[in-house]
């Protein structure tokens, strides 16, 4: 699974990388070196703005979504904490994800992701979980394949109240290979720039074709470095979390 990642690039950096025409003027997320489930994260997606629904015009946006997908039919938003990942093997058929896979796909920009490996402490002999930060060898941004969904909060009476709607997302994962596979059996999937348009296009709805767009992050050219267990605590943040752990 992918349960933590880092996303520190600003909207000004991300917008040109993903050909987003407008940088969000007000909605700003701080750099986050320890993104955890239920945090808000930057997502790239294409949709028809509410004020242009009759025109059918689709616009590419960079906007914050809550990590942990809440299906539209869910009765409680808390289900999202269990929906942070969707397995590529079954994403097209699982009730929680199949609608979003066809209609609501997104990209989640990341610097890299964390995974944990069981290791024996040389001092105590006890088995503990050693965190690793896994990133592209060339430090390029990772475009993690994601899905998003809308959830209507029944506690808010008016449909046009912004508080009535929650947008959430999930990350698609697959069997890990190469460097990532030596740390953990699963890893997030990613897209290369030439596939961004096809993945984000809401009119592209063939499940088999969509699955062929997904790829290993950085084409498998990943670097995995052991880092401090400080990342285990979601309240810890800052660039020091990415420092390589020295013996």
């Amino acid at each position: 699974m992918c349960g933590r990642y880092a996303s520190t690039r600003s909207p000004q950096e991300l917008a040109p990388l993903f050909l987003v025409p407008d940088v969000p003027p007000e909605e700003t997320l701080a750099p986050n070196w320890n993104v955890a489930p239920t945090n808000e994260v930057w997502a790239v997606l294409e949709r028809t703005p509410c004020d242009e629904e009759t025109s059918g015009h689709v616009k590419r946006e960079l906007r914050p979504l809550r990590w942990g997908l809440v299906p539209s039919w869910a009765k409680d938003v808390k289900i999202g904490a269990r929906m942070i990942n969707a397995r590529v093997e079954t994403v097209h058929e699982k009730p929680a994800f199949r609608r979003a896979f066809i209609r609501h796909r997104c990209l989640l920009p990341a610097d890299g992701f964390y995974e944990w490996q069981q290791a024996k402490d040389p001092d105590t002999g006890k088995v503990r979980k050693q965190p690793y930060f896994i990133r592209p060898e060339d430090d390029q941004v990772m475009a993690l394949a994601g899905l998003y969904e809308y959830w209507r909060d029944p506690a808010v009476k008016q449909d046009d109240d912004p508080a009535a709607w929650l947008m959430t997302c999930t990350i698609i994962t697959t069997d890990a290979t190469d460097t990532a596979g030596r740390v953990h059996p699963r890893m997030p999937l990613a897209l290369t720039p030439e596939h961004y348009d096809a993945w984000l296009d809401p009119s592209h709805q063939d499940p088999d074709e969509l699955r062929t767009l997904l790829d290993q992050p950085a084409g498998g050219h990943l670097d995995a470095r052991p880092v401090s267990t400080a990342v285990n605590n979601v309240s810890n943040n800052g660039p020091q979390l990415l420092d390589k752990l020295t013996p």
Side-chain angles (χ1 to χ4, degrees):
M1 66 179 293
C2 176
R4 299 280 181 82
Y5 68 97
S7 180
T8 65
R9 288 172 167 87
S10 69
Q12 291 72 24
E13 293 176 277
L14 294 174
L17 291 175
F18 292 96
L19 303 181
V20 176
D22 301 313
V23 177
E26 298 176 357
E27 296 175 306
T28 301
L29 300 181
N32 194 340
W33 288 267
N34 197 2
V35 177
T38 74
N39 284 172
E40 285 202 327
V41 299
W42 285 120
V44 181
L45 54 89
E46 289 187 355
R47 69 189 191 110
T48 303
C50 295
D51 57 352
E52 297 185 30
E53 288 182 349
T54 57
S55 71
H57 173 68
V58 174
K59 183 179 180 181
R60 184 168 299 186
E61 301 178 354
L62 178 66
R63 60 183 302 140
L65 306 182
R66 174 171 156 159
W67 185 19
L69 189 139
V70 180
S72 59
W73 44 258
K75 300 196 181 296
D76 194 320
V77 71
K78 293 179 181 178
I79 193 175
R82 305 196 304 273
M83 300 285 186
I84 63 170
N85 291 162
R87 296 174 67 93
V88 70
E89 296 88 348
T90 57
V91 65
H92 59 296
E93 58 189 16
K94 289 288 185 181
F97 303 124
R98 62 190 179 196
R99 177 177 179 272
F101 185 67
I102 295 299
R103 299 183 179 181
H104 297 151
R105 297 176 300 276
C106 62
L107 297 172
L108 303 172
D111 304 327
F113 59 97
Y114 297 97
E115 288 296 358
W116 282 257
Q117 183 183 62
Q118 287 194 342
K120 183 177 288 188
D121 190 309
D123 297 325
T124 65
K126 294 182 178 180
V127 175
R128 60 182 177 81
K129 286 190 174 182
Q130 171 60 53
Y132 284 79
F133 183 64
I134 302 171
R135 62 179 180 85
E137 291 176 347
D138 58 6
D139 269 339
Q140 294 298 307
V141 67
M142 302 173 73
L144 303 184
L147 310 176
Y148 72 95
E149 193 55 276
Y150 299 92
W151 182 75
R152 175 67 168 85
D153 186 348
V156 181
K157 301 304 180 184
Q158 301 297 325
D159 279 347
D160 58 357
D161 186 334
W165 298 94
L166 177 68
M167 291 183 70
T168 61
C169 61
T170 190
I171 294 173
I172 299 177
T173 67
T174 189
D175 287 334
T177 58
D178 302 324
T179 300
R182 293 194 287 272
V183 177
H184 192 273
R186 301 289 294 182
M187 71 177 186
L189 279 164
L191 276 87
T192 52
E194 64 267 24
H195 291 156
Y196 291 173
D197 291 349
W199 177 254
L200 294 175
D201 182 358
S203 68
H204 190 181
Q205 299 186 359
D206 184 293
D208 293 330
E209 290 183 3
L210 290 169
R211 289 172 57 149
T212 64
L213 303 176
L214 302 171
D215 200 0
Q216 299 176 43
H221 297 288
L222 299 169
D223 170 70
R225 67 174 73 159
V227 294
S228 168
T229 54
V231 72
N232 296 355
N233 187 334
V234 296
S235 65
N236 292 330
N237 216 309
Q240 72 279 1
L241 294 180
L242 307 188
D243 291 343
K244 184 174 182 179
L245 189 68
T246 55

